[in-house]
Amino acid sequence: MKLLFGLPWVVVGVTAQYVIESSSFGHGQSLSPDKANVPGWHIFGEGYLPQLYSDKVILTPPYPGNRRGAIWAASRVSQAEWTAEIGFRATGPERGGGNLQIWYTREGEAQIATSSIYTVGKFDGLVLVVDMYGGKGGSIRGFMNDGGTDYKNHHSVDSLAFGHCDYAYRNLGRPSIIQIKQEANSFEVIVDHRQCFFTEKIKLPSDYSFGISAASAETADSFEAYKFVLTTSSSTTREEPRRDRAPPPSSPPGNSLPALEDVLASSIESQEARFADLHNRVQLMAHAVDNIFSELTKLAERSEERHQELARNAMSTDKLNAMDQRIQNVETIVRDYKGQLSNLDRLLKESHSRLTVGLPQHMSEIISTRSPRMGVFLTVFIVFQLLLAGSYVVYKRRRANGPKKYL
């Protein structure tokens, strides 16, 4: 438990706020001390494993879409009054979509997991939904359920909201801060230090769990969780040491080493006393070496178990080689297609050049070489006229020289 002072932790005047460590992350130097998990929280996804960095958890990736991710606290909240501060960021293309849910429920991750407000079914508790509802650039809405309403099969889930405010949360370039305050006689939601909605009719019970889930649309929004800090102002009800932390193992009987006081050699007079002192110290050293060897053996066993686990989860060399071979085959096929497409492009350009340049020239040649000559036409016309004239003269002469008939 850490005691913090300052403006973000002031409720009325100068009130001390105690961080509930088991239900918080992101308020220290790093989210994860081992870069593998967040202490006191469980991370999982659907179609995607959320990525853990030193300062954030990426619940849904920028690509591909239709992915789900969630992070749930392992312990329940025992305090009746508390303040939860969540830092998140949403980025994506212009028409990207998705939603973020902040849960405080009795069922916890076992029943809700990566569900959204539209796929959750029945639950007992509170959920805040951050999405693009209303078409005003984004909104934050609050929903309550006592376990009797099946949200998944409800005909109009949006009508069940008890409070909301408009908030354009996408592509801000910075984390957005949501504060949920449960006090003795009031419930309040604050966004970026501005009140979103407030009511005196809600009193959430204790012994519920917090969680954050996100879902992306086909054109995905990427949701990132930077922190979740749960605090309480009551020093008498603040968190005791974590329930899930195992007690330190007790030393087996016979392994405890008695402490020997340092004595001057001159103070030991008899030979037997000197030998007994030397014997005791050598025996103590032997026990210490024995304990060190036992601890090293346990460490080696744990390392071997970890190695076996990594070996089971890691890909075999044959699979990697086969995957590399398939990638090389794909690259070869792509290169072949690239060459064929280049040849096809060259042939199309040549055909286009022949059509645009050669065809008009060829047609002009055909017209100029195949068209009939005017001289031939005139000669045929004159010969035809001469033949007509000659025929007419012969006809006149025959008629003049023929016998005449008189009536």
Side-chain angles (χ1 to χ4, degrees), residues 9-17 183:
W9 312 104
V10 173
V11 178
V12 178
V14 182
T15 304
Q17 291 286 313
E183 298 180 348

Side-chain angles (χ1 to χ4, degrees), residues 212-365:
I212 304 174
S213 68
S216 62
E218 184 173 357
T219 304
D221 270 350
S222 175
F223 286 96
E224 305 167 353
Y226 284 82
K227 68 176 179 178
F228 187 102
V229 183
L230 185 65
T231 61
T232 180
S233 59
S234 175
S235 60
T236 59
T237 61
R238 67 179 185 270
E239 175 194 38
E240 298 300 328
R242 284 185 184 170
R243 300 176 184 176
D244 58 343
R245 183 178 298 169
S250 57
S251 301
N255 283 355
S256 58
L257 301 178
L260 293 180
E261 296 181 359
D262 295 333
V263 296
L264 296 176
S266 58
S267 64
I268 304 176
E269 298 178 354
S270 64
Q271 192 72 17
E272 292 80 2
R274 290 182 181 179
F275 179 78
D277 181 69
L278 179 61
H279 171 76
N280 291 336
R281 294 184 184 278
V282 170
Q283 190 176 33
L284 185 61
M285 186 180 300
H287 286 315
V289 172
D290 229 9
N291 289 345
I292 292 174
F293 180 77
S294 176
E295 292 297 328
L296 289 176
T297 302
K298 292 179 182 178
L299 181 60
E301 291 176 355
R302 288 196 294 268
S303 299
E304 182 63 24
E305 291 175 359
R306 181 62 176 168
H307 174 72
Q308 294 296 334
E309 183 181 356
L310 291 175
R312 287 193 299 269
N313 295 334
M315 283 189 176
S316 64
T317 305
D318 295 337
K319 289 183 179 180
L320 290 175
N321 292 335
M323 184 178 294
D324 182 65
Q325 184 64 36
R326 287 196 293 269
I327 293 174
Q328 290 179 1
N329 293 337
V330 171
E331 290 178 350
T332 302
I333 294 173
V334 169
R335 283 196 295 269
D336 293 342
Y337 275 111
K338 185 178 180 181
Q340 294 178 6
L341 291 174
S342 299
N343 294 334
L344 180 60
D345 181 65
R346 180 177 54 80
L347 291 175
L348 288 174
K349 288 181 179 178
E350 291 178 357
S351 300
H352 180 265
S353 177
R354 290 174 182 174
L355 288 174
T356 55
V357 178
L359 183 61
Q361 183 178 359
H362 187 62
M363 292 298 295
S364 176
E365 291 178 357

